Amino acid sequence: MTIVYVLFILLAIIGSVFFDGREGYDRYKLLSYRGLYLFLICIVGFSYGLGGDKFAYMEYFEYYKDNFEDFFGSISYEFVKMGFMPLWTLLCLTVKSTVDSFYVLQFILALLVNIPICEIVRKHTDHGFLFLLLYFVSEVFFQFNTEVMREGPAIAFGLLAIENYLSGNKGKYCLWTLLALGFHLSAVVLLVVPFIKHIQLTRRNILILFGSTAVAWLLSDMVLLPLLSYFLSHAGAAFGHKMITYTAVQTTFFGFLRSFLSIMAVPVAAIYFNREQEVGEQETKYRDYMTALLILLAFVGCTFPGFTRFFNYVQIFYLIMLAELIYSLFATKIHFVFRLGTVIAAFVFWIWYEVAYWPENDFHFYQFFVPYTCIVNESDDVFFRRDAYHEVCNYSFYEDRINEIEQ
């Protein structure tokens, strides 16, 4: 069944060759673009046992009641005990009580995540097919649809919130922000939208930014330990443990360096080398704003490594900039080596992440998604992913961190 991946990649390449050189989206380009991303939605919508986190949500789904008798009790319990936001629980309860099918839930989620993302993308780049190819091969698509299933709609709604804010529609910005928060607490980052100031990407400012990020990371534990101690004593158990989980990872210098290069240095380089492109005033405003947001979230992610998940809210913008850079790679020889190096570095980090290895189950990260498994063949063979997921989610390190803070 992995042939569906090959087919999508071939169609994306063909679409890029035939359509990405056209300005805007005429009737045939738009129809082809929408058809391709609907194919992408079907890939995940009809999947069976892809990813790791999905196994946890499949198990949770079985325990929901198939009626609304204890509607508020279920929402309250999941919010307090598990840290699940109300709209997620509401969606699960609705699907459970109507069709009682997790497949329907995952298809609805695929629509909620990918339609807003792909429609926003076409507003900001003519190279939509190349974006879809990068979205797929970078595994950002799989992450949003199988690994952060509660956060996926929040990310998509967050992008809609930003679009409306920059268009001057503050009411819709507030609405989409509330909807995003209704699915995942990480959408709190959207509250900074009205307060972000443009950051000039001069060489001097970039160097200062890079240096200050390293210094902030070195001092992060001096801030985190008292902050988390306070948080644990005033927050519910679920949110307290989540806070520890997010802040206890990648705290070595090697982990910092990887985060710094992959979510700050390479994305900033991709943006910087696109600055010579001629775009409209509105698009310039959008890119300037998203650049400032990307830098802010990358700084937070590098300084407090577990919060790299906030970077998810600018991943789509990063892929847009990368698609623009790749498409224009041979258009000019200026900085060609550096531009090519940026593209290569992006792929190196993606591959590095995909080949991560867990020895207990003899498992690589890419095996969460390869080979493709479909609902027409509900084989037990997919449960090797569940076993690997449990190895990945070994929380003993985080428990040690909690004990350290509570002492």
Side-chain angles (χ1 to χ4, degrees):
M1 292 297 292
T2 308
I3 188 64
V4 298
Y5 292 164
V6 177
L7 179 59
F8 175 81
I9 291 172
L10 288 176
L11 289 174
I13 293 173
I14 293 171
S16 183
V17 170
F18 279 93
F19 293 113
D20 277 347
R22 301 183 186 181
E23 184 176 346
Y25 288 78
D26 58 32
R27 179 181 176 182
Y28 296 106
K29 182 177 179 180
L30 181 59
L31 182 63
S32 300
Y33 175 71
R34 285 177 171 168
L36 189 58
Y37 77 64
L38 286 176
F39 178 34
L40 199 59
I41 289 171
C42 288
I43 288 177
V44 70
F46 292 111
S47 67
Y48 174 67
L50 283 190
D53 278 13
K54 182 182 287 189
F55 284 95
Y57 295 121
M58 287 171 64
E59 292 175 1
Y60 295 150
F61 187 80
E62 295 303 315
Y63 289 101
Y64 286 112
K65 296 181 179 179
D66 58 0
N67 56 64
F68 286 96
E69 289 181 3
D70 193 24
F71 169 72
F72 291 106
S74 297
I75 289 179
S76 176
Y77 176 83
E78 291 209 335
F79 179 75
V80 175
K81 297 296 184 181
M82 302 173 69
F84 291 0
M85 299 301 281
L87 288 184
W88 168 264
T89 306
L90 175 60
L91 177 61
C92 291
L93 284 170
T94 302
V95 174
K96 181 72 174 183
S97 62
T98 53
V99 293
D100 193 9
S101 172
F102 184 82
Y103 299 144
V104 172
L105 175 65
Q106 73 176 8
F107 205 98
I108 292 173
L109 288 170
L111 293 171
L112 291 176
V113 172
N114 295 288
I115 290 179
I117 286 176
C118 294
E119 287 298 317
I120 287 171
V121 164
R122 75 177 181 87
K123 293 179 58 178
H124 298 290
T125 180
D126 293 329
H127 316 311
F129 293 89
L130 183 53
F131 164 83
L132 289 176
L133 180 62
L134 295 178
Y135 186 40
F136 183 83
V137 301
S138 68
E139 291 194 348
V140 172
F141 163 73
F142 291 105
Q143 287 282 345
F144 286 3
N145 289 275
T146 70
E147 297 304 298
V148 290
M149 294 182 70
R150 291 184 295 116
E151 189 176 358
I155 294 167
F157 296 163
L159 293 176
L160 288 170
I162 293 170
E163 289 287 316
N164 281 282
Y165 179 81
L166 294 179
S167 299
N169 196 326
K170 305 303 190 296
K172 288 186 177 180
Y173 153 72
C174 292
L175 175 62
W176 285 115
T177 297
L178 287 174
L179 289 173
L181 278 168
F183 275 95
H184 203 272
L185 189 61
S186 64
V188 69
V189 301
L190 298 172
L191 299 180
V192 307
V193 166
F195 307 103
I196 286 183
K197 296 181 180 179
H198 175 52
I199 300 175
Q200 293 288 340
L201 283 180
T202 64
R203 293 180 182 177
R204 176 175 175 272
N205 285 350
I206 290 174
L207 291 175
I208 293 174
L209 173 68
F210 286 179
S212 62
T213 302
V215 172
W217 171 76
L218 288 171
L219 299 176
S220 61
D221 260 8
M222 296 175 61
V223 177
L224 276 180
L225 289 177
L227 176 64
L228 294 180
S229 179
Y230 175 84
F231 191 89
L232 282 174
S233 63
H234 289 80
F239 286 106
H241 282 70
K242 282 180 179 292
M243 189 78 169
I244 295 299
T245 301
Y246 294 157
T247 55
V249 296
Q250 290 187 354
T251 53
T252 66
F253 175 74
F254 181 79
F256 163 74
L257 185 62
R258 183 175 65 176
S259 293
F260 174 76
L261 291 174
S262 61
I263 71 172
M264 179 170 281
V266 174
V268 168
I271 296 168
Y272 182 81
F273 291 126
N274 276 312
R275 296 183 74 195
E276 300 303 320
Q277 291 184 9
E278 292 185 5
V279 295
E281 182 180 348
Q282 192 66 24
E283 183 60 22
T284 299
K285 178 183 176 182
Y286 175 80
R287 294 188 181 188
D288 287 346
Y289 175 84
M290 291 302 292
T291 299
L293 182 61
L294 183 147
I295 289 173
L296 173 64
L297 298 185
F299 178 85
V300 172
C302 291
T303 305
F304 307 108
F307 288 97
T308 52
R309 72 178 308 142
F310 286 159
F311 191 77
N312 287 338
Y313 287 84
V314 289
Q315 280 273 25
I316 299 303
F317 173 65
Y318 169 39
L319 292 179
I320 291 173
M321 291 294 96
L322 202 58
E324 293 279 300
L325 182 61
I326 292 172
Y327 198 85
S328 64
L329 194 58
F330 297 97
T332 176
K333 294 182 179 179
I334 299 176
H335 303 307
F336 175 77
V337 173
F338 295 103
R339 290 186 290 124
L340 178 61
T342 299
V343 173
I344 292 173
F347 278 88
V348 166
F349 282 113
W350 293 341
I351 294 171
W352 188 358
Y353 191 73
E354 289 174 11
V355 299
Y357 181 69
W358 290 278
E360 183 179 320
N361 289 280
D362 188 25
F363 188 88
H364 295 273
F365 183 80
Y366 69 84
Q367 290 175 278
F368 277 125
F369 319 112
V370 180
Y372 179 70
T373 46
C374 182
I375 60 176
V376 298
N377 181 23
E378 295 184 356
S379 171
D380 290 343
D381 292 343
V382 301
F383 288 96
F384 74 99
R385 291 170 175 155
R386 182 188 60 184
D387 297 335
Y389 168 73
H390 289 311
E391 181 184 354
V392 174
C393 296
N394 181 356
Y395 292 107
S396 60
F397 174 74
Y398 309 132
E399 296 298 331
D400 292 341
R401 182 74 162 173
I402 293 173
N403 293 334
E404 176 189 351
I405 294 170
E406 290 181 338
Q407 289 175 354

